[in-house]
Amino acid sequence: MIDLRSDTVTKPTEEMRRAAYEAEVGDDVYREDPTVNVLEEKAAEILGKESALFVTSGTQGNQIAVLTHCRPGNEILLESESHIFYYESGAVAAFAGVQTRTINGVKGRMDPLQIESCIRGEDQHFPETGLICLENTHNRAGGAVVPYENMKDVYELSRKYNVPVHVDGARLFNAAVSSNCSVQQFTQYSDTVQICLSKGLGAPVGSILAGSKSYIEKARKWRKRLGGGLRQAGILAAPGIIALTKMTERLAEDHENATRLASSLQEINSIEVVNDVDTNIIVVDVKNTGYSSEQFVHLLEKNGVRAVTFGPTTVRFTTHYDVSTNDIDRAIHIIHSIIKH
Ligand code: TLP
């Protein structure tokens, strides 16, 4: 089975498994887990922030970010198809008690002028704008890189209005590798950032939330409230250290495989590749094949390829560490044969 459903399906490498086995551990709620401490220090350094916190998942990291930045009754600005809005089970409403104001982006990027026009002024009728959320790469825009120039513009205007900026950087290393720059080129234009260790970077579990020292202290309390204070978490942090220090550069291979798959899919008349394939995600529209996305995904699965539905007629493929170029060529062959017959 060639599993292209998500880069979340990657399994830990041998080295990660060994590191987990050998990890020095302690009780992290007492801040006595040396491996977690190393991961958090390294993450803060790499992301160019004062401090970092190991959290259980990307969703938890984003939720802690919103909870720490906002108060109930605040309004947050975010892109209409951002993960926080689209895929986190309504958690910002359920937990933080904030309302969302969505802005349609183009390739995942929001127009700074539109953001500015949505920031609330002083008026007793209005909620306070508590946070601007960006997502990079943008999942539903097909792994699109939001250029750091756009982030800079948003960040500069956010200073004018004193509204913090959080970046859902679940795949921020993909953005950095694709743009041939350091991750700090992006994170410098944010107050806080969440990055996932468990997607293309291959760790089994975990994300990092990074920001200022005082912010991360408050975030630590929210993590505890949410039941995310783990004990001998070094077992999980050890693979995370490898993810962060050894697995980022190789994301370029996933991007090459994605481009390879996309250009071959483009040759099939009835399939339309709808995104630009900046990174490791390919979104195709299959309506001209006569199949719905569900039928198409089912057919693929029967023939040994897994993908996910992305809309009624759209399907997402995601490349990652556990699919080789050979696997991609096999997947290409399978898809061509299914569509021919
Ligand atoms: N995305 C998953 C699904 O939840 C859709 C996927 O397969 O792509 N931010 C972004 C941009 C994400 O894509 C994801 C996961 C998360 C946050 C949440 O991370 P986890 O799954 O660790 O909670």
Side-chain angles (χ1 to χ4, degrees), residues 124-266:
Q124 63 169 329
H125 299 89
F126 292 164
E128 278 166 32
T129 305
L131 183 64
I132 300 167
C133 297
L134 307 180
E135 182 175 316
N136 208 357
T137 63
H138 193 293
N139 183 346
R140 286 199 59 84
V145 175
V146 175
Y148 54 77
E149 293 87 347
N150 173 264
M151 289 181 60
K152 180 170 190 267
D153 292 344
V154 175
Y155 188 68
E156 277 170 3
L157 84 87
S158 76
R159 300 306 91 174
K160 209 162 107 190
Y161 296 93
N162 219 2
V163 178
V165 174
H166 171 67
V167 176
D168 175 356
R171 298 186 180 85
L172 193 61
F173 286 98
N174 294 81
V177 165
S178 164
S179 313
N180 216 358
C181 66
S182 85
V183 83
Q184 289 190 23
Q185 186 71 40
F186 295 93
T187 57
Q188 64 180 314
Y189 304 122
S190 69
D191 294 284
T192 56
V193 57
Q194 180 277 118
I195 57 117
C196 287
L197 302 166
S198 64
K199 297 201 163 53
L201 305 186
V205 173
S207 276
I208 292 290
L209 175 63
S212 72
K213 206 164 182 300
S214 60
Y215 177 92
I216 293 299
E217 281 311 303
K218 287 187 208 139
R220 187 178 286 277
K221 190 149 185 164
W222 271 113
R223 186 185 69 173
K224 189 79 185 91
R225 283 195 186 113
L226 296 179
L230 303 178
R231 301 297 179 173
Q232 286 71 43
I235 302 269
L236 302 173
I241 294 171
I242 294 167
L244 204 55
T245 56
K246 297 193 176 171
M247 300 290 281
T248 57
E249 292 307 317
R250 63 145 307 281
L251 292 172
E253 293 165 30
D254 299 345
H255 301 173
E256 277 162 30
N257 280 335
T259 306
R260 188 181 184 92
L261 177 56
S263 42
S264 175
L265 292 177
Q266 251 148 8

Side-chain angles (χ1 to χ4, degrees), residues 314-327:
T314 50
V315 171
R316 185 187 80 171
F317 298 93
T318 307
T319 59
H320 54 79
Y321 185 63
D322 289 344
V323 284
S324 64
T325 306
N326 268 345
D327 292 331

Side-chain angles (χ1 to χ4, degrees), residues 5-9 56-62 82-84 86-88 135-140 168-171 194 196-199 205-207 281 308 310 316 318:
R5 285 174 302 170
S6 181
D7 44 12
T8 58
V9 303
T56 56
S57 66
T59 302
Q60 191 185 60
N62 286 336
S82 60
H83 195 278
I84 294 177
Y86 200 96
Y87 282 128
E88 298 191 5
E135 182 175 316
N136 208 357
T137 63
H138 193 293
N139 183 346
R140 286 199 59 84
D168 175 356
R171 298 186 180 85
Q194 180 277 118
C196 287
L197 302 166
S198 64
K199 297 201 163 53
V205 173
S207 276
I281 293 178
V308 287
F310 220 42
R316 185 187 80 171
T318 307

Side-chain angles (χ1 to χ4, degrees), residues 63-76 92-93 95-100 122 126-131 164 215 218 222:
Q63 291 308 316
I64 291 174
V66 176
L67 284 158
T68 309
H69 281 297
C70 299
R71 285 182 298 143
N74 279 178
E75 183 168 76
I76 65 171
V92 291
F95 299 142
V98 299
Q99 70 180 32
T100 50
E122 270 301 313
F126 292 164
E128 278 166 32
T129 305
L131 183 64
Y215 177 92
K218 287 187 208 139
W222 271 113

